[in-house]
Structure formats: C-alpha cells, structure tokens
Amino acid sequence: MPVAARELHGIPLYAFAFSAYFTTSLFAMVFAGQWSDRHGPLAPLATGNGMLAAGLCVAATGTAHWGVNL
C-alpha cells in the first residue's frame, strides 16, 4: 500500500484507505453473520464473493486516489 499510495500521489489519503477498509469490514462481518444465522451461509457467501469481484475490478481500473488527480 505505501508504494501504491506514493505512485498515485495519494500519501495524504493513506490513513483513510486503511480506516475505510477496516470499518467496512467490521460492519460487513456483523451483517453477514446475522444474515447467515437467519437464512444460511450460501447467500451471504455468494454476495460477498460478488462484491469482492466488483471491488477488484474497480481497484484494477483506478488511475488515482480519490480526490487526487495525476
């Protein structure tokens, strides 16, 4: 992450990238756990995999940090 932030001129947003990830991860785990307890693990697992794939596509096509133009 430090190399990517430096290459994309996004060092000021370095802390935001990690805090956003961990906060989202925490809420998603709680939500997916409750969903899985109510309806079984298949739907939360499939949704999580789909969201991971979508996030990877967004990350792979990114050319700059949010708010930082090259």
Side-chain angles (χ1 to χ4, degrees):
M1 187 68 183
V3 174
R6 195 171 24 259
E7 289 293 319
L8 294 173
H9 309 291
I11 293 296
L13 296 172
Y14 183 74
F16 175 74
F18 278 104
S19 63
Y21 167 76
F22 284 122
T23 302
T24 304
S25 178
L26 175 68
F27 286 112
M29 280 188 272
V30 171
F31 177 74
Q34 292 176 350
W35 188 12
S36 181
D37 287 344
R38 283 191 211 116
H39 303 288
L42 186 59
L45 180 65
T47 302
N49 285 340
M51 292 179 78
L52 174 66
L56 288 173
C57 290
V58 169
T61 58
T63 58
H65 266 277
W66 168 53
V68 179
N69 296 323
L70 294 178

